[in-house]
Amino acid sequence: MDFKEIPTDCSREAIKIREKIIKDYYAQWISEHPDKKIWNKNLGAYIHIKFLSINETYEKASRRYESTLAVLNLTEVLEKAVKVGECPAKRNTRNQKQFEKLYMMQFGNVKLTVGLQRSNQELVQYCITVPQQQSKVK
């Protein structure tokens, strides 16, 4: 993928294009990784990609150009992200109720959220984004 083809603005049209880029990338990634999982060195466990991973990520990451770029480095992010925190999942949030807890992980400026599933204790990629930089107060 040529990064010049990815729109950088925040228009509705740009977001739709980035959503399609992310969905297409996951489809390609899954064809190359049919077991849909990558070993994370820091957690010492596999992180699985599921339908929820794709939906949550394209909905959030398509909002910002930088987050879309982060998704295009999915394998490296999943392998090398380091756990920086954890919190209980929100039981009354539709996409989080299947998880026991969420791990906040980081790889460079990329934030990876991984959920621990209640039913089978699998780690599932929940979302990948690049948070907006806070302006430094002097």
Side-chain angles (χ1 to χ4, degrees):
M1 151 118 335
D2 183 4
F3 295 132
K4 293 176 186 172
E5 296 174 20
I6 303 172
T8 58
D9 63 285
C10 294
S11 69
R12 193 171 283 225
E13 182 61 29
I15 290 170
K16 290 286 182 201
I17 291 168
R18 289 194 297 263
E19 282 180 359
K20 181 171 179 5
I21 289 168
I22 291 169
K23 289 177 189 177
D24 290 349
Y25 181 79
Y26 270 106
Q28 175 190 338
W29 189 90
I30 288 169
S31 72
E32 295 169 7
H33 301 85
D35 56 355
K36 301 181 203 164
K37 62 184 179 182
I38 292 288
W39 184 260
N40 177 272
K41 296 172 187 170
N42 183 256
L43 295 175
Y46 284 103
I47 298 177
H48 298 260
I49 301 296
K50 300 201 174 183
F51 183 72
L52 172 71
S53 310
I54 299 165
N55 276 359
E56 189 70 23
T57 299
Y58 91 74
E59 287 176 8
K60 302 282 190 278
S62 64
R63 305 282 179 236
R64 297 191 60 238
Y65 171 77
E66 296 82 2
S67 294
T68 301
L69 291 182
V71 174
L72 301 181
N73 293 299
L74 180 63
T75 300
E76 188 174 27
V77 171
L78 292 175
E79 286 176 340
K80 297 179 181 177
V82 175
K83 183 175 143 187
V84 294
E86 66 181 72
C87 65
K90 297 175 185 167
R91 287 191 157 233
N92 41 350
T93 300
R94 182 178 51 92
N95 289 345
Q96 290 186 20
K97 69 169 94 174
Q98 66 180 291
F99 298 114
E100 199 171 296
K101 59 176 112 176
L102 297 175
Y103 296 119
M104 275 34 85
M105 302 186 73
Q106 196 161 353
F107 175 68
N109 64 341
V110 177
K111 178 185 172 191
L112 167 66
T113 306
V114 174
L116 177 65
Q117 279 192 315
R118 289 182 198 289
S119 60
N120 58 12
Q121 300 297 293
E122 280 185 344
L123 294 173
V124 176
Q125 181 243 309
Y126 183 71
C127 193
I128 294 175
T129 58
V130 174
Q132 282 188 293
Q133 299 298 317
Q134 300 293 325
S135 58
K136 294 180 181 177
V137 178
K138 293 184 180 181

